Amino acid sequence: MCDVVVIGAGIIGMLTARELHTAGYSVTILEQGQAARESSWAGGGILSPIYPWRYPEPINRLAAWSQQIYPDFCEQLREQTGIDPEWIRSGFLMLDTDEMEHALDWCRERNISAVSWSDEDLHGREPELSAAFTHAVCMTDVAQIRNPRLVKALREFLTKMGVEILEHRPVQRIVIEQGQVTGVETAQGKIQTGRVVVAAGAWSGELLQRQGLGLPVKPVRGQMLLFNARPGLINHILLWEGRYLIPRVDGKVLMGSTLEEVGFSHEVTEEAAQVLRDKAVTMVPALDGVEIERHWAGLRPGSPSGVPYIGPVTDIDGLYLNTGHYRYGVVMGLASARQLRALIAGDEPILPVADYAPGSLLERVAESIPE
Ligand SMILES: Cc1cc2nc3c(=O)[nH]c(=O)nc-3n(C[C@H](O)[C@H](O)[C@H](O)COP(=O)(O)OP(=O)(O)OC[C@H]3O[C@@H](n4cnc5c(N)ncnc54)[C@H](O)[C@@H]3O)c2cc1C
């Protein structure tokens, strides 16, 4: 018997476990496969929504809260585990956007540092960028982390803290008796607990659906390419027409990504590789001929507006959600976990509760997921 069972050892489940453990709860994470090998491993690690002004405030509020904490959090992980998550303030360059004025106003209103760069500024700072680009908005303080390292460090840190992570332990069913959670069923037997947090990423909707609870969280596949480029080829995260290039410390450059509703398939396609490669070369011609070291796909936990569900489920005592982070779970995760901790422990929530409230899953009807 433990105080809380968390379903899913992605970034959201692990950050939730960290918060709850710190608040004094005994926590067990159950993971159907290997910890931290799904979306949280596969993503890009940009610590901001892309074109953030296009997103609802609840997403930007979670991101802004986490952005403040990230540097210290990464430092703590590095000190405790020896694994460096490579938090770097790369800056985020949005190339040839026709939303320049709106973007600058939006940033100014929120005290977010942003500047507009003309042709000369742009090519002075990014000499390998295609000459076709003439201007950009730079959000100078946007950082990135190397998410595979972050989740590896987090996993190690949790184990050191005393959080139990049981791998290859798929939860088949949440046991609910007379409106109260009493445990979970796994292939290896029942685990008793009075509180369950569903942090099962893209699988959350399906898991709940199996027991008649409706949650519109579905997998949205994203494919990525990794170029084996030289350090310093590009200096900022570059974004153009929805696709981005992320420079890592060792010179490797990530190109992302696709948005595909193809169920739970992790397959990669030649077509996507071609589209991503062509886009990358159009942005930075020097990438032409650079070896593509790896091509992979991850399944984002897609929710209708991209706003995650955080909090208790109405009508079922002891059932909580922290899921549906769609495209921005890495940047929203720290805040999202703190918010849920507050709701479970009865502390003051950091953000308006209603914005993320799951409501009743018995009444929910499926909604579609926009791009
Ligand atoms: C290509 C791509 C690029 C991205 N880029 C960014 C970015 O730059 N910045 C950003 O902030 N976000 C980004 N994201 C989004 C981000 O990765 C996700 O929002 C985040 O990882 C979701 O975390 P999670 O823990 O909910 O899901 P996951 O990491 O998928 O973890 C869920 C876990 O639950 C487990 N699970 C599922 N069902 C069960 C069950 N029944 N029993 C036990 N375990 C179960 C799964 O095996 C999995 O390990 C990107 C995602 C992709 C795919």
Side-chain angles (χ1 to χ4, degrees), residues 198-354:
V198 177
W203 292 264
S204 301
E206 194 207 31
L207 171 69
L208 292 163
Q209 185 89 44
R210 266 189 254 144
Q211 45 193 119
L213 301 171
L215 181 74
V217 172
K218 300 184 203 158
V220 180
R221 185 170 73 186
Q223 299 190 45
M224 301 282 261
L225 294 183
L226 184 69
F227 288 89
N228 191 6
R230 65 173 163 80
L233 180 74
I234 57 171
N235 306 306
H236 301 80
I237 302 163
L238 304 179
L239 175 67
W240 180 51
E241 295 184 341
R243 310 267 199 225
Y244 49 81
L245 287 168
I246 310 173
R248 299 301 202 201
V249 176
D250 57 7
K252 298 196 197 289
V253 172
L254 270 171
M255 175 72 194
S257 67
T258 60
L259 290 171
E260 305 163 82
E261 288 199 39
V262 289
F264 289 97
S265 165
H266 287 80
E267 248 176 77
V268 293
T269 62
E270 204 35 58
E271 189 192 347
Q274 197 61 43
V275 169
L276 293 172
R277 190 197 155 275
D278 288 353
K279 196 86 178 181
V281 170
T282 306
M283 291 163 81
V284 177
L287 283 171
D288 196 10
V290 173
E291 178 204 4
I292 294 175
E293 192 177 302
R294 200 160 178 181
H295 176 197
W296 68 86
L299 303 179
R300 305 178 186 89
S303 49
S305 60
V307 177
Y309 299 99
I310 312 168
V313 170
T314 314
D315 306 330
I316 303 171
D317 284 347
L319 182 57
Y320 298 86
L321 304 186
N322 198 0
T323 190
H325 295 72
Y326 192 29
R327 303 192 72 179
Y328 303 117
V330 178
V331 62
M332 294 193 287
L334 282 167
S336 186
R338 177 62 61 86
Q339 175 84 349
L340 187 60
R341 164 185 165 169
L343 292 170
I344 291 178
D347 300 335
E348 186 63 34
I350 56 168
L351 293 170
V353 177

